[in-house]
Amino acid sequence: MATSPFFQIDNLHAALQAAEIGQQAVEVHGALVGLICGGINQKNDAWVQPLLELINDGQPLPQDLQQLISELYQDSVTRLSDPDFGFSPILPEEEEPLSERVEALSLWVQSFLTGLAIIQPKLNKASKDVQEVIQDLANIAQVEIDVIDDDESEAAYVELLEFTRIAALLCYSEFGPDLVDPEQEKPALH
């Protein structure tokens, strides 16, 4: 069962602080999802070392933090491969000030793009749609943090968040594992 994003971000934030890791929870999730969407091998712990390089200069993490990130990895893979498109970036709740949510989205996207680029260094060979989405994500990563907390800005944020969510799913569908069971594709022998 998928875990609550709010529960994850609070626990991850506390564990990162306790371990004195200089990354925010949204950055860790963004990088992790970038690695997954870039097509990292999901059959082993191939994601661990690249993530450690991104968040802790390649050094191991305390066991409790590593366990929490492993659970987040499994949750993210489950959500990304959900046929009902259940994935969403883990970001602060809507009760938080809009400027904090915009900053968190920008950090998530920056980290996502970094994780994606590490695993998929030939992004210029991706489909035209994915190349356009990556360019749009690069623009979102540079979004103005100083926003007015009004209905128009809130609507723009929701639009950027939804675009980011769909962009991650598009990258996962392009670079991630083939979700079709190869056994089902084989013709029956008569």
Side-chain angles (χ1 to χ4, degrees):
M1 179 176 191
T3 55
S4 162
F6 184 69
F7 177 76
Q8 285 277 355
I9 198 168
D10 281 353
N11 285 347
L12 184 55
H13 177 73
L16 288 166
Q17 280 190 322
E20 299 180 357
I21 304 293
Q23 303 291 315
Q24 293 185 28
V26 296
E27 292 173 293
V28 172
H29 187 247
L32 187 60
V33 172
L35 295 171
I36 296 166
C37 290
I40 197 149
N41 184 347
Q42 294 182 12
K43 293 189 184 199
N44 57 33
D45 289 339
W47 61 272
V48 173
Q49 194 57 44
L51 185 67
L52 291 177
E53 295 293 334
L54 289 173
I55 69 169
N56 200 31
D57 295 324
Q59 299 302 309
L61 299 172
Q63 185 60 35
D64 60 330
L65 177 56
Q66 183 61 49
Q67 179 61 36
L68 186 61
I69 292 175
S70 293
E71 291 170 11
L72 184 60
Y73 169 81
Q74 289 301 325
D75 182 64
S76 298
V77 168
T78 299
R79 290 175 187 259
L80 284 163
S81 49
D82 178 4
D84 294 326
F85 305 110
F87 170 77
S88 188
I90 293 179
L91 296 167
E93 297 292 313
E94 64 183 50
E95 293 81 25
E96 298 298 324
L98 182 59
S99 60
E100 287 181 25
R101 290 182 285 140
V102 169
E103 180 179 12
L105 178 62
S106 175
L107 290 173
W108 191 94
V109 170
Q110 289 171 24
S111 298
F112 172 81
L113 290 172
T114 301
L116 186 70
I118 285 174
I119 299 304
Q120 199 55 245
K122 296 182 181 177
L123 290 174
N124 60 342
K125 304 261 191 245
S127 70
K128 186 176 183 206
D129 287 343
V130 168
Q131 287 183 37
E132 287 176 17
V133 160
I134 290 170
Q135 183 57 53
D136 290 342
L137 286 173
N139 292 334
I140 290 172
Q142 298 172 17
V143 72
E144 182 65 39
I145 306 295
D146 189 24
V147 295
I148 299 169
D149 203 345
D150 62 7
D151 290 343
E152 186 177 323
S153 296
E154 183 70 35
Y157 169 78
V158 169
E159 212 172 286
L160 289 176
L161 177 56
E162 181 63 9
F163 178 85
T164 300
R165 185 181 83 77
I166 298 300
L169 290 167
L170 179 63
C171 290
Y172 185 71
S173 71
E174 175 126 347
F175 303 122
D178 186 1
L179 300 177
V180 176
D181 184 358
E183 294 297 315
Q184 292 177 347
E185 300 242 334
K186 292 181 181 176
L189 297 175
H190 296 283

